């Protein structure tokens, strides 16, 4: 009886925490559909889709969306390549400095974003590189690599090395072993890592603030809108778009990796 009460209490606490965390997001979603003549009133006075057409007809919004998509896509591609190579180099070999390299890979996402942003800005200034799209991509790739690295190395550790040895014993070369043995086992982990990296890059704002220069990504556009109260309805629409674009890859990554214990050679039944 006591365990049932404890279980019920934990469920209530969990759901209460979720409601507390997501209530502000629900308010933004609600006000994205609020009528024009009641944009600042509570409760909302009506339902309209007008703000969506207004938002997507504004050149500044479209340019910010385009830039954020370009940066997130390129940063994710870089992260997938470097994160996979780093995990392949570290997961089986023991050598002096291995733990230090692992720590260096994880630091960019473990440190506060403001520290990473200041460090990147100082480095770019030292190298006489002007802030812009290139510096934003480099900044985003530094912490996106960690996401891919963690996903891939976790999957490699659950994949039996005997599969690779069997492939080599049967005459497969390195490329064939990678293509037919390693890559299929890493497929969902790579995709999940890439989706998480894309979501993280798309809505990143702290590091972007230090590396953007005159560029305006979608999160920076939203931050700039805080000083324009007349644009609140349009801002709500764009904020809802950012949340949806960020949420869907995260949910997709969760469903891709939740069955990771059953990969071939991992010992799962």
């Amino acid at each position: 009886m006591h365990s049932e009460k404890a279980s019920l209490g934990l469920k209530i606490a969990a759901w209460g925490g979720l409601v507390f965390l997501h209530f502000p997001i629900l308010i933004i979603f609600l006000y994205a559909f609020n009528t024009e003549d009641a944009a600042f009133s509570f409760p909302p006075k009506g339902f309209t889709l007008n703000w969506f057409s207004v938002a997507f007809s504004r050149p500044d919004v479209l340019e910010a969306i385009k830039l954020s998509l370009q940066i997130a896509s390129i940063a994710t591609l870089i992260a997938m390549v470097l994160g996979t190579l780093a995990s392949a180099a570290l997961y089986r070999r023991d050598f002096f400095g291995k733990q230090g390299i692992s720590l260096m890979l994880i630091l960019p996402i473990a440190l506060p974003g403001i520290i990473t942003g200041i460090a990147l800005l100082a480095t770019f200034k030292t190298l006489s590189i002007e802030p812009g799209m290139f510096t934003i991509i480099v900044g985003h790739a530094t912490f996106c690599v960690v996401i891919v690295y963690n996903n891939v190395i976790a999957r490699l550790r659950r994949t039996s090395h005997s599969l690779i040895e069997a492939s080599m014993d049967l005459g497969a070369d390195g490329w064939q072993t990678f293509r037919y043995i390693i890559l299929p086992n890493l497929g969902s982990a790579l995709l999940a890592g890439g989706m998480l990296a894309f979501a993280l890059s798309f809505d990143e704002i702290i590091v972007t603030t230090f590396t953007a220069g005159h560029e305006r990504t979608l999160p920076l556009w939203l931050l700039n809108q805080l000083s324009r109260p007349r644009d609140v309805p349009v801002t709500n629409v764009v904020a809802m778009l950012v949340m949806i674009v960020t949420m869907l890859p995260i949910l997709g990554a969760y469903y891709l990796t939740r069955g990771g214990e059953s990969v071939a050679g991992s010992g799962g039944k």
Side-chain angles (χ1 to χ4, degrees), residues 165-230:
E165 294 174 343
S167 174
M168 303 296 283
D169 288 341
L170 292 171
D173 57 28
W175 168 247
Q176 289 173 322
T177 300
F178 175 78
R179 180 181 177 185
Y180 295 110
I181 303 299
I182 299 176
L183 194 58
N185 278 281
L186 296 182
S188 60
L190 273 173
L191 184 57
M195 293 168 72
L196 286 172
F198 181 89
L200 188 64
S201 174
F202 187 81
D203 71 350
E204 210 293 321
I205 187 169
I206 300 177
V207 173
T208 310
T209 302
F210 289 92
T211 58
H214 297 294
E215 300 288 352
R216 285 293 175 266
T217 61
L218 201 54
L220 290 180
W221 182 91
L222 285 170
L223 180 63
N224 189 52
Q225 289 297 108
L226 294 179
S227 61
R228 300 179 179 180
R230 291 182 179 271

Side-chain angles (χ1 to χ4, degrees), residues 68-266:
S68 289
L69 289 174
Q70 288 176 336
I71 291 171
S73 299
I74 298 172
T76 299
L77 181 61
I78 295 172
M80 289 182 72
V81 173
L82 296 182
T84 303
L85 292 176
S87 59
L90 295 175
Y91 94 102
R92 276 185 60 82
R93 297 289 182 265
D94 289 322
F95 53 88
F96 177 75
K98 176 180 177 179
Q99 297 302 321
I101 294 175
S102 298
L103 177 63
M104 294 290 286
L105 282 168
I106 297 171
L107 268 182
I109 202 169
L111 290 173
I114 191 171
I115 301 299
T116 303
I118 292 173
L120 286 167
L121 180 60
T123 302
F124 293 138
K125 290 296 185 181
T126 301
L127 298 175
S128 300
I129 300 174
E130 289 298 320
M133 183 173 177
F134 172 76
T135 56
I136 300 174
I137 292 172
V138 172
H140 287 201
T142 56
F143 54 78
C144 287
V145 167
V146 183
I147 305 298
V148 178
Y149 168 79
N150 284 337
N151 274 272
V152 173
I153 201 166
R155 181 59 56 83
L156 286 171
R157 286 169 178 165
R158 292 199 301 266
T159 303
S160 175
H161 191 68
S162 61
L163 294 173
I164 301 174
E165 294 174 343
S167 174
M168 303 296 283
D169 288 341
L170 292 171
D173 57 28
W175 168 247
Q176 289 173 322
T177 300
F178 175 78
R179 180 181 177 185
Y180 295 110
I181 303 299
I182 299 176
L183 194 58
N185 278 281
L186 296 182
S188 60
L190 273 173
L191 184 57
M195 293 168 72
L196 286 172
F198 181 89
L200 188 64
S201 174
F202 187 81
D203 71 350
E204 210 293 321
I205 187 169
I206 300 177
V207 173
T208 310
T209 302
F210 289 92
T211 58
H214 297 294
E215 300 288 352
R216 285 293 175 266
T217 61
L218 201 54
L220 290 180
W221 182 91
L222 285 170
L223 180 63
N224 189 52
Q225 289 297 108
L226 294 179
S227 61
R228 300 179 179 180
R230 291 182 179 271
D231 283 346
V232 166
V234 174
T235 304
N236 288 334
V237 170
V238 178
M240 186 177 74
L241 171 68
V242 172
M243 286 185 283
I244 291 174
V245 172
T246 304
M247 177 180 63
L248 292 179
I250 292 174
L251 290 175
Y254 166 73
Y255 282 107
L256 282 171
T257 56
R258 64 175 181 171
E261 68 277 1
S262 62
V263 294
S266 65

Side-chain angles (χ1 to χ4, degrees), residues 36-54:
E36 182 175 358
D37 61 340
F40 299 97
S41 64
F42 185 86
K45 303 301 182 182
F47 179 90
T48 181
L49 296 175
N50 176 60
W51 298 118
F52 289 83
S53 60
V54 172

